[in-house]
């Protein structure tokens, strides 16, 4: 029978119906192509052997040469199992099987020399190896094609079902025989020669059967590049199609409002980064395409004024604008901030949130529809169907990850034509991830803080240092500063957490008694109006201490607050800690962040706290966060292809990603429709994109 890459895996010699089923169910391998794209995740040296007396607890990938001298069946607490005694000239150990005992006993020969391969454990004073791979020594030597044996992902769980790493290795060899190892090239000759990439055929062969380390490295490089290149190509094309298809409202002139604000009301000199980003936004708004831009800026980098000046561009061209924030507190704060500027410019602005009174709401709806209202700020209340604009030209979304893509698109559809969209996020996304997850958005980065900011000093303190911490708070309050004390509030532990918060509040009220000290408290269970009242007291400086849960996490701006105390800091994620810390250090004073912990810390918590102490740089923190949590947990990644990466690693292969993006961009710059003969190979591959979810299904 003639086979091709789409041939079902059942047809491959040596697979058989049972294994085919396991491969399908457990590893998602349906076709020859799926199998060839099961890339090893590491390689082990199969010429290295251990003696039994050299073993250590939990050695993975150990090979031992020895003989099975006997079997016994054991049925104890840990269940029925077959135990074989395995012996070399330095000692004995046990081989253990929990399943398939009969078959194993019948097929293994006593007193023949075997190579046992697997992971060793220490149990009841002895070493053992559960479900080892066993091969007669003579076969092992015959089969040894290369010192580097690939280890395939997730085969461990299939070991005891007869799909061992060795089996995969064998069927992979068979696959190369049946397909004659011929795989179509998917990168152009030009690109390959420019980057000195080996061809597809040799890359696939060497990744599965590496002859030398050098060939393996080149094979991996080529395949990783290819994987990342096609993701980038896909994203950039999406962006290009978007730009050419979806016309934006052209904001051609910079007019009265913008100029007046710039000349007469600008409260400070813009940083160079703010100026650059404004230029980028301006270029988008002036083009014929619809803007779809992500504005990233570390906490306190000054995104608000950029947002406001972009709004002015919309107004100057006769359009309305809206700004949506994730919480009521934040919306109010944005509103108050912008109101001051709007009053100076004689611009109408309103706020709409869940707690806006019905009568007021009706007025807002009306003035939006007849165009009297120019700017609307609010929470997701803005998304309600009743909210209709006369001519919405620009939507700004603060803190995108709290809303999600679906809501973003809802704002879009508030018009017959989509407004320009600017998404702002203060949780820096590592560049690698941003390029993959938001590769279809244009990205602007404010990578400079306003001048005069002093780096926040961060320390880690234990409960036993609390008296010193309180003394420090007192000193700071005496200097006229304000203090945040934040408690964790995690849904699963809600009751306990509220108790901690309230206990904390009472103890603060005792240690910092009225009338000398005034303390505010804000948490999610309070009515919006109460929250707002307490918040305002703190903003106005009527209270010196704010005890809160993470409701204050995003965006709250009280420049006089200079100390952030985070209780049970080990329970917060890194980006959350960074966000919280960003609430201080917003004025000219030296600010501090104190991370309090009482429990013994896990290694992961320690790294988080140490990172916070070591750096204030949000991007650096985001990289560590990505390393600790993996991309799966970081918002947005679920929707992207980054989790399906089969060979590249979003963290380790940053350089290759940059290279891939650069080349995908350069090629599309010159030939956006991939029409040139040398780009046919890209076009052909790209065209199959829509059909498959997984990039490797179409690039083989
Ligand atoms: N160029 C500048 N020079 C001086 N101060 C500035 C400048 N830009 C912004 N600021 C001030 O810095 C503070 C932080 O700005 P803003 O609230 O816009 O930050 P942000 O980027 O929204 O941060 P976050 O995401 O943490 O809310 C504000 O008090 C603002 O007035």
């Amino acid at each position: 029978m003639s086979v091709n890459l789409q041939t079902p895996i059942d047809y491959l010699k040596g697979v058989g119906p049972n294994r085919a089923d396991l491969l399908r169910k457990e590893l998602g391998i349906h076709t020859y192509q799926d199998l060839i794209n099961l890339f090893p995740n590491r390689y082990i040296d199969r010429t290295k052997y251990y003696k039994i007396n050299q073993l250590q607890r939990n050695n993975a990938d150990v090979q031992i040469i020895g003989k099975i001298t006997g079997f016994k069946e054991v049925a104890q607490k840990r269940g029925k199992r077959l135990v074989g005694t395995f012996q070399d000239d330095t000692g004995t150990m046990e081989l253990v099987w929990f399943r398939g005992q009969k078959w194993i006993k019948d097929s293994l020969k006593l007193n023949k020399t075997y190579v046992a391969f697997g992971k060793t454990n220490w149990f009841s004073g002895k070493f053992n190896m559960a479900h080892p791979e066993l091969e007669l020594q003579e076969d092992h030597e015959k089969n040894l094609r290369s010192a580097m044996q690939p280890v395939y992902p997730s085969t461990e769980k299939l070991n005891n079902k007869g799909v061992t790493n060795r089996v995969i290795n064998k069927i992979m060899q068979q696959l190369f025989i049946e397909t004659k190892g011929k795989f179509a090239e998917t990168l152009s000759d030009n690109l390959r020669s420019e980057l000195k990439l080996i061809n597809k055929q040799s890359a696939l062969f060497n990744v599965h059967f590496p002859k030398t380390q050098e060939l393996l490295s080149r094979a991996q490089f080529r395949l990783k590049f290819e994987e990342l290149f096609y993701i980038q190509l896909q994203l950039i094309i999406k962006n290009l199609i978007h730009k050419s298809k979806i016309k934006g409202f052209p904001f051609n002139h910079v007019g009265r409002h913008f100029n007046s604000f710039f000349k007469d009301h600008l409260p400070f000199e813009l940083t160079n980064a703010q100026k650059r980003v404004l230029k980028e936004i301006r270029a988008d708004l002036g083009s014929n395409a619809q803007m779809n831009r992500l504005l990233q800026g570390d906490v306190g980098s000054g995104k608000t004024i950029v947002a406001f000046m972009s709004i002015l561009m919309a107004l100057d061209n006769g359009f309305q604008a809206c700004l949506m924030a994730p919480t009521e507190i934040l919306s109010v704060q944005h509103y108050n901030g912008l109101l001051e500027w709007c009053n100076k410019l004689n611009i109408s602005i309103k706020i709409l949130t869940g707690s806006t009174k019905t009568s007021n709401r009706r007025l807002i709806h009306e003035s939006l529809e007849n165009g009297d209202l120019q700017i609307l700020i609010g929470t997701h209340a803005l998304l309600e169907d009743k909210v209709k604009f006369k001519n919405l030209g620009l939507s700004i979304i603060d803190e995108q990850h709290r809303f999600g893509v679906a809501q973003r698109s809802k704002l879009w559809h508030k018009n017959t034509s989509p407004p320009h969209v600017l998404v702002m996020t203060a949780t820096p996304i590592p560049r690698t991830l941003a390029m993959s997850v938001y590769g279809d958005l244009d990205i602007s980065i404010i990578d400079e803080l306003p001048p005069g900011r002093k780096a926040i000093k961060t320390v880690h303190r234990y409960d036993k240092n609390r008296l010193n911490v309180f003394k420090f708070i007192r000193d700071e309050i005496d200097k006229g500063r304000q203090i945040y004390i934040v408690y964790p509030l995690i849904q699963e532990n809600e009751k306990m957490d509220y108790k901690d918060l309230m206990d904390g509040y009472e103890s603060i009220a005792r240690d910092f008694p009225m009338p000398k000290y005034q303390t505010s408290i804000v948490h999610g269970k309070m009515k919006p109006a109460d929250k707002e009242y307490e918040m305002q007291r703190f903003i106005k400086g009527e209270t010196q201490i704010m005890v809160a849960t993470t409701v204050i996490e995003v965006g709250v701006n009280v420049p006089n607050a200079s100390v952030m105390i985070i209780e049970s800091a080990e329970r917060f994620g890194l980006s959350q800690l960074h966000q919280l810390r960003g609430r201080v250090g917003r004025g000219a004073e030296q600010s501090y962040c104190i991370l309090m912990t009482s429990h013994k810390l896990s290694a992961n918590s320690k790294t988080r706290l140490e990172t916070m102490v070591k750096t204030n740089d949000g991007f650096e923190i985001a990289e560590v966060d990505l390393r600790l949590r993996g991309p799966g947990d970081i918002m947005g990644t679920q929707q992207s292809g980054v989790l399906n990466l089969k060979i590249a690693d979003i963290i380790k292969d940053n350089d290759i990603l940059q290279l891939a993006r650069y080349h995908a961009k350069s090629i599309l710059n010159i030939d956006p429709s991939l029409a040139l003969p040398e780009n046919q190979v890209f076009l052909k591959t790209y065209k199959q994109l829509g059909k498959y979810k997984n990039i490797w299904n179409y690039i083989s």
Side-chain angles (χ1 to χ4, degrees), residues 268-271 274 298-304 426 450 453 555 557 583 586:
F268 32 67
E269 170 84 12
L270 296 177
T271 62
Q274 285 168 322
D298 209 342
V299 287
S301 60
K303 292 182 288 295
T304 315
R453 294 271 176 84
N557 188 29
R583 297 312 104 212
R586 302 173 82 86

Side-chain angles (χ1 to χ4, degrees), residues 224-241:
K224 287 175 177 188
F225 177 87
E226 174 169 1
E227 182 170 46
L228 296 169
F229 174 83
Y230 274 102
I231 291 179
Q232 291 305 320
L233 198 77
Q234 201 180 0
L235 288 166
I236 298 167
I237 290 178
K238 194 168 155 198
N239 185 317
L240 289 176
I241 292 176

